[in-house]
């Protein structure tokens, strides 16, 4: 099956499952993790790497720099090192794998990982009311971040 | 896929190895007004680390230097305010702390290194703040102080400062201290909030790493109340609540059972470190 076909089928399956207001959006609990990662787009709309870079660095969105250094953003202050540097990350992981890592890294690494699930409702105890039923990133932001990560090649 | 990804992570950590090398606690020693302070010591039995490290070792040189002389330490203003409170008569009994306890330099020496301790009356651990309230309501005929209000932090800082340099050592054999220790351990390892992080995620697993601009320490409590250069005097339960809020979880109430258990457990994790109150942090 070609990636596009999988993508279309995945999006259709998601459409059937999703009760979310956004008709073409895969709900967090409906994201399908396969041996290849999360193959289908979460929205059916191609990710925008420029918007993705913004969501990546913004402290209120991904705040990925809290834990990851990224030479592409050397102009930004304070890169953490809790996780590995993301330089050349797209040469190590393909798109479906990157989407899986950003969506819910616990499904990919181990339950022990410190990295939060950015499009997952499988969260910690005593969730603050303001965040009930909400994911850290929207489905489209995940697509955008994945598109941005795709530009980080060796 | 899992195996494949794990292999990738191993590749990645090779890359990460070429990253910043600053991520170690510094090799430095602290004396405050010439008094040696234990900032690094062998961990007690059953501790996840071999060595217990003060948060002081994780701060920048400029921040560390401010703690070396009490005259330079902005937290000492709070200690002086606390001393005034110690001597101020309040309540219907016409008493101050000093009426019963005289000179704090003698009577309070060691107290800051031994609390929280078992309180047989409430059948719970009691910390300095709650002990102050107990004295106020039961001995002075004064009202209990609300969390962080009415000089609570200042008086706590004054009392703990009397133990400056003394190693922290809890008595877990008193009353039910051991079961509160267990409960606190549960809280410490429970992941909370939307970010799904436990105390241990940041202060154990990622200890020594940078999270954005912050060098993650072991999250030790030996310097509380602490003076934060960016926000001033900070009480321990305020710090606990802040760290929990940062995981996007509901904040437990100050002095709630969860936070008293956490204080008991985390204080034990710093066994052997000197009391640094008021420590200086970023």
């Amino acid at each position: 099956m070609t990636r596009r076909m999988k993508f279309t089928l995945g999006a259709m399956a998601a459409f059937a499952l999703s009760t979310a207001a956004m008709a073409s959006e895969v709900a967090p609990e409906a994201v399908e993790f396969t041996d290849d990662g999360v193959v289908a787009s979460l929205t059916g709309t191609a990710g925008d790497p420029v918007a993705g870079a913004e969501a990546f660095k913004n402290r209120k969105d991904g705040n990925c720099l809290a834990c990851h250094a990224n030479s592409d953003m050397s102009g930004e202050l304070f890169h953490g090192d809790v996780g590995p540097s993301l330089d050349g990350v797209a040469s190590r992981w393909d798109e479906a794998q990157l989407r899986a890592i950003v969506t819910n890294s616990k499904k990919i690494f181990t339950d022990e990982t410190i990295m939060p699930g950015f499009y997952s409702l499988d969260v910690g105890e005593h969730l603050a009311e303001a965040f009930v039923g909400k994911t850290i990133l929207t489905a489209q932001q995940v697509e955008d971040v994945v598109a941005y990560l795709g530009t980080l090649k060796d | 896929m899992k195996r494949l990804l794990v292999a990738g992570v191993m590749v990645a950590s090779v890359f990460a190895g070429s990253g910043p090398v600053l991520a170690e606690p510094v090799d430095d020693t602290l004396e405050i007004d010439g008094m040696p302070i234990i900032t690094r010591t062998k961990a007690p039995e059953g501790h996840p680390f071999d060595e217990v490290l003060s948060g002081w070792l994780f701060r920048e040189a400029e921040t560390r230097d401010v703690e070396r002389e009490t005259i330079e330490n902005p937290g000492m203003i709070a200690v002086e305010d606390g001393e005034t409170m110690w001597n101020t008569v309040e309540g219907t009994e016409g008493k101050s702390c000093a009426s019963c306890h005289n000179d704090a330099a003698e009577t309070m020496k060691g107290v800051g290194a031994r609390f929280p301790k078992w309180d047989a009356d409430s059948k719970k651990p009691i910390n300095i703040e709650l002990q102050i309230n107990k004295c106020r309501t039961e001995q002075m005929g004064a009202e209990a102080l609300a969390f962080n209000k009415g000089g609570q932090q200042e008086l706590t800082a004054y009392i703990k400062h009397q133990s400056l340099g003394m190693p922290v050592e809890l008595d877990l054999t008193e009353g039910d201290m051991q079961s509160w220790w267990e409960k606190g351990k549960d809280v410490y390892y429970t992941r909370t909030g939307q970010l799904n992080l436990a105390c241990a995620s940041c202060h154990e697993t990622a200890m020594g790493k940078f999270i954005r601009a912050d060098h993650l320490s072991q999250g030790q409590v030996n310097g509380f109340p602490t003076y934060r250069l960016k926000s001033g005097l900070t009480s321990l339960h305020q710090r606990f609540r802040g760290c929990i809020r940062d995981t996007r979880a509901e904040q437990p109430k100050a002095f709630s059972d969860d936070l008293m258990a956490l204080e008991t457990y985390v204080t034990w994790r710093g066994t052997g470190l000197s009391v640094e109150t008021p420590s200086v942090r970023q």
Side-chain angles (χ1 to χ4, degrees):
Chain A
M1 201 175 357
T2 66
R3 168 140 316 164
R4 177 151 304 275
M5 277 169 72
K6 272 198 201 169
F7 164 89
T8 313
L9 288 176
M12 280 165 62
F15 178 78
L17 285 171
S18 171
T19 51
M22 297 282 265
S24 58
E25 197 169 289
V26 185
E29 56 275 27
V31 177
E32 205 187 320
F33 290 82
T34 72
D35 284 352
D36 296 327
V38 176
V39 177
S41 162
L42 301 179
T43 61
T45 303
D48 169 5
V50 177
E54 208 37 58
F56 181 100
K57 66 186 173 200
N58 192 318
R59 284 163 204 259
K60 294 215 146 53
D61 295 322
N63 196 16
C64 309
L65 289 175
C67 295
H68 294 284
N70 174 9
S71 305
D72 185 52
M73 291 189 173
S74 52
E76 291 289 314
L77 280 178
F78 308 128
H79 298 205
D81 65 354
V82 171
S85 158
L86 295 183
D87 292 357
V89 75
S91 303
R92 297 193 289 280
W93 309 115
D94 68 22
E95 182 192 305
Q97 293 170 332
L98 289 171
R99 184 180 289 112
I101 294 171
V102 178
T103 301
N104 186 0
S105 65
K106 295 196 177 43
K107 297 248 192 213
I108 307 304
F109 304 137
T110 66
D111 276 344
E112 306 303 309
T113 186
I114 291 179
M115 180 160 156
F118 286 88
Y119 191 67
S120 168
L121 297 179
D122 197 1
V123 296
E125 308 269 310
H126 314 304
L127 180 62
E129 216 175 296
F131 299 102
V132 171
K134 302 213 170 93
T135 54
I136 305 172
L137 294 178
T138 65
Q140 191 55 46
Q141 280 177 319
V142 171
E143 291 305 318
D144 295 345
V145 167
V146 169
Y148 170 67
L149 293 176
T151 68
L152 304 179
K153 294 217 165 85
D154 279 334
Chain B
M1 165 158 189
K2 209 161 232 170
R3 200 163 302 132
L4 191 147
L5 284 170
V6 170
V9 170
M10 280 161 65
V11 173
S13 52
V14 174
F15 282 81
S18 59
V21 280
L22 280 167
E24 289 296 312
V26 292
D27 188 10
D28 193 1
T29 51
L30 175 61
E31 288 187 358
I32 298 179
D33 299 346
M35 175 200 288
I37 299 292
I38 306 161
T39 56
R40 181 189 284 271
T41 189
K42 193 174 173 304
E45 216 187 295
H47 198 288
F49 293 123
D50 296 335
E51 250 191 335
V52 174
L53 305 170
S54 164
W56 182 80
L57 295 169
F58 295 78
R59 308 283 54 98
E60 304 281 342
E62 310 84 77
T63 309
R64 290 201 307 278
D65 285 346
V66 181
E67 211 183 299
R68 294 184 205 272
E69 311 282 338
T70 47
I71 194 98
E72 301 284 334
N73 184 337
M76 287 304 290
I77 295 168
V79 169
E80 281 162 25
D81 290 346
E83 179 171 19
T84 306
M85 262 188 93
W86 177 265
N87 293 303
T88 303
V89 171
E90 270 192 80
T92 55
E93 303 301 306
K95 287 181 192 159
S96 68
C97 312
S99 314
C100 293
H101 299 291
N102 307 311
D103 182 4
E106 284 169 27
T107 61
M108 293 295 123
K109 196 175 165 71
V111 164
R114 291 195 302 266
F115 272 60
K117 60 176 235 176
W118 186 246
D119 177 46
D121 295 334
S122 63
K123 299 199 171 50
K124 288 180 180 184
I126 189 170
N127 61 9
I128 308 272
E129 289 89 335
L130 294 181
Q131 180 65 57
I132 292 169
N133 278 348
K134 194 172 171 182
C135 288
R136 287 178 62 91
T137 53
E138 292 177 11
Q139 311 296 337
M140 297 165 69
E143 295 207 341
L145 299 173
F147 174 51
N148 269 359
K149 297 265 166 63
Q152 181 177 68
Q153 296 196 71
E154 287 79 358
L155 188 50
T156 302
Y158 175 66
I159 293 170
K160 289 199 81 177
H161 183 66
Q162 308 310 316
S163 305
L164 186 71
M166 296 176 71
V168 170
E169 171 92 71
L170 293 187
D171 184 354
L172 294 173
T173 63
E174 279 181 276
D176 274 340
M177 284 299 274
Q178 190 62 41
S179 67
W180 283 78
W181 181 95
E182 301 281 351
K183 184 180 162 64
K185 184 175 180 185
D186 279 351
V187 176
Y188 196 85
Y189 286 97
T190 299
R191 288 177 178 252
T192 59
Q194 192 188 36
L195 300 189
N196 212 351
L197 298 169
C199 310
S201 311
C202 289
H203 294 296
E204 190 172 308
T205 313
M207 189 272 291
K209 302 271 174 71
F210 276 85
I211 191 157
R212 276 281 186 176
D214 284 321
H215 195 186
L216 284 167
S217 71
Q218 293 182 346
Q220 297 291 0
V221 301
N222 56 309
F224 281 85
T226 192
Y227 189 90
R228 297 188 64 187
L229 295 172
K230 63 178 177 195
S231 55
L233 197 67
T234 306
S235 68
L236 181 55
H237 286 224
Q238 185 181 349
R239 175 44 113 166
F240 285 165
R241 283 164 51 84
C243 281
I244 292 169
R245 182 203 52 219
D246 288 348
T247 70
R248 301 188 175 175
E250 292 297 344
Q251 304 179 61
K253 285 206 161 49
F255 314 131
S256 61
D257 286 358
D258 273 2
L259 291 193
M260 288 308 299
L262 193 60
E263 178 171 351
T264 303
Y265 177 69
V266 184
T267 305
W268 170 83
R269 283 177 75 107
T271 299
L273 292 176
S274 288
V275 173
E276 279 176 42
T277 309
S279 66
V280 180
R281 302 288 186 259
Q282 81 293 12

